[in-house]
């Protein structure tokens, strides 16, 4: 695990010196995913999160036009303090940037959503291995053949993150992660990911024989 604190990582991001995924960083702190939307569709997304609390566990919602999440990270700036931002227009990915100061608008609302990286310290402390941290990669993710509940303009298939584990470790992981409901909680599926997954979303880590695949609901819905 990396020794950087949450504030140190945010400062490095703000300076443009950190542009990597964050599994294994800020041990013991809650990590979050960020969604930024115009006020005109913010209520629809709030309702989407309410109807889908496992993949979209809300940690904080900012005031309109405010880039500071005052409830969970006072002093931070959501326009600069993340490693990378994916920019979408009309549902299509158009760019990846390291800050969104030039894109920020007075009508934007930011949603901070719990991330499964938050429970990985607890898994490691209990002796449950986390493969993507060992390999210094991002967590593998899959789109599934399951659907989230729609709300307003928002609809999506369920996306899950995968951690390959021995059967005994998978059972321990269920017990540990169930105590982190704001970080997706317990897995939605154990076993063959092909039972619910229809294509790889991000390149996975090496697979090993006799490993269960534990799948957690993910914010990338």
């Amino acid at each position: 695990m990396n020794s950087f604190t949450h504030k140190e990582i945010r400062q490095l991001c703000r300076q443009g010196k950190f542009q990597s995924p964050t599994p294994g960083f800020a041990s013991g702190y809650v990590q979050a995913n960020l969604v930024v939307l115009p006020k005109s569709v913010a209520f629809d997304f709030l309702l989407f999160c309410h109807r889908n609390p496992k993949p979209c566990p809300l940690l904080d919602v900012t005031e309109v036009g405010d880039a500071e999440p005052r409830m969970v990270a006072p002093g931070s700036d959501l326009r600069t303090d993340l490693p990378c931002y994916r920019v979408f227009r009309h549902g299509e990915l158009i760019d990846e940037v390291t800050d969104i100061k030039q894109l920020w608008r007075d009508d934007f609302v930011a949603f901070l959503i719990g991330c499964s990286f938050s429970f990985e310290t607890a898994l490691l402390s209990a002796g449950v291995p986390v493969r993507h941290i060992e390999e210094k990669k991002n967590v593998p993710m899959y789109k599934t053949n399951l659907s989230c509940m729609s709300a307003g303009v928002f609809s999506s298939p369920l996306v899950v993150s995968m951690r390959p584990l021995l059967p005994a470790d998978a059972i321990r992981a269920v017990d540990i992660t169930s105590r982190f409901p704001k970080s997706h909680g317990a897995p939605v599926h154990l076993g063959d990911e092909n039972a619910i997954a229809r294509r790889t979303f991000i390149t996975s880590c090496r697979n090993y024989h006799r490993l269960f695949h534990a799948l957690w609901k993910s914010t990338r819905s």
Side-chain angles (χ1 to χ4, degrees):
M1 300 291 286
N2 197 285
S3 61
F4 285 123
T5 69
H6 58 309
K7 291 184 178 180
E8 289 171 335
I9 292 174
R10 290 203 296 262
Q11 185 62 31
L12 288 171
C13 291
R14 189 176 298 187
Q15 295 169 351
K17 297 179 180 179
F18 187 94
Q19 299 174 11
S20 302
T22 56
F25 287 86
S27 174
Y29 291 95
V30 173
Q31 296 201 35
N33 298 285
L34 174 67
V35 176
V36 179
L37 296 165
K39 180 184 177 182
S40 59
V41 295
F43 177 77
D44 284 359
F45 189 71
L46 184 66
L47 185 59
F48 183 84
C49 294
H50 176 72
R51 290 178 176 173
N52 300 278
K54 281 279 282 184
C56 298
L58 276 177
L59 301 176
D60 198 359
V61 181
T62 65
E63 296 287 344
V64 179
D66 191 355
E68 180 183 357
R70 301 176 189 276
M71 295 288 291
V72 298
S76 63
D77 187 336
L78 295 175
R79 302 169 300 176
T80 59
D81 292 2
L82 277 69
C84 185
Y85 301 81
R86 306 184 88 199
V87 182
F88 291 80
R89 281 209 177 96
H90 307 297
E92 298 294 328
L93 177 65
I94 63 166
D95 203 1
E96 293 193 17
V97 297
T98 55
D99 75 67
I100 54 171
K101 276 190 170 181
Q102 300 303 315
L103 299 173
W104 190 263
R105 296 179 355 201
D106 291 340
D107 67 334
F108 275 169
V109 178
F111 296 80
L112 278 77
I113 299 173
C115 175
S116 62
F117 294 164
S118 303
F119 59 58
E120 290 176 340
T121 298
L123 291 176
L124 292 170
S125 296
V128 177
V130 180
R131 177 66 49 77
H132 60 274
I133 291 180
E134 293 174 354
E135 297 186 0
K136 296 180 172 58
K137 295 180 178 179
N138 200 3
V139 65
M141 283 175 268
Y142 298 86
K143 283 188 177 180
T144 74
N145 53 27
L146 306 175
S147 295
C148 295
M149 290 186 65
S150 299
V153 299
F154 293 98
S155 62
S156 173
L158 176 67
V159 175
V160 293
S161 61
M162 186 276 287
R163 292 163 180 83
L165 299 167
L166 290 169
D169 287 334
I171 299 303
R172 294 169 67 204
V174 170
D175 179 59
I176 293 167
T177 59
S178 64
R179 302 195 292 267
F180 292 82
K182 287 294 189 179
S183 302
H184 305 303
V188 65
H189 178 79
L190 294 176
D192 181 7
E193 76 276 9
N194 292 312
I196 64 169
R198 54 191 173 95
R199 75 176 178 86
T200 301
F201 194 74
I202 291 180
T203 303
S204 62
C205 305
R206 297 191 308 270
N207 292 326
Y208 290 80
H209 296 301
R210 295 188 300 164
L211 289 181
F212 267 27
H213 288 175
L215 283 77
W216 279 264
K217 292 188 178 182
S218 171
T219 305
R220 283 179 179 261
S221 299

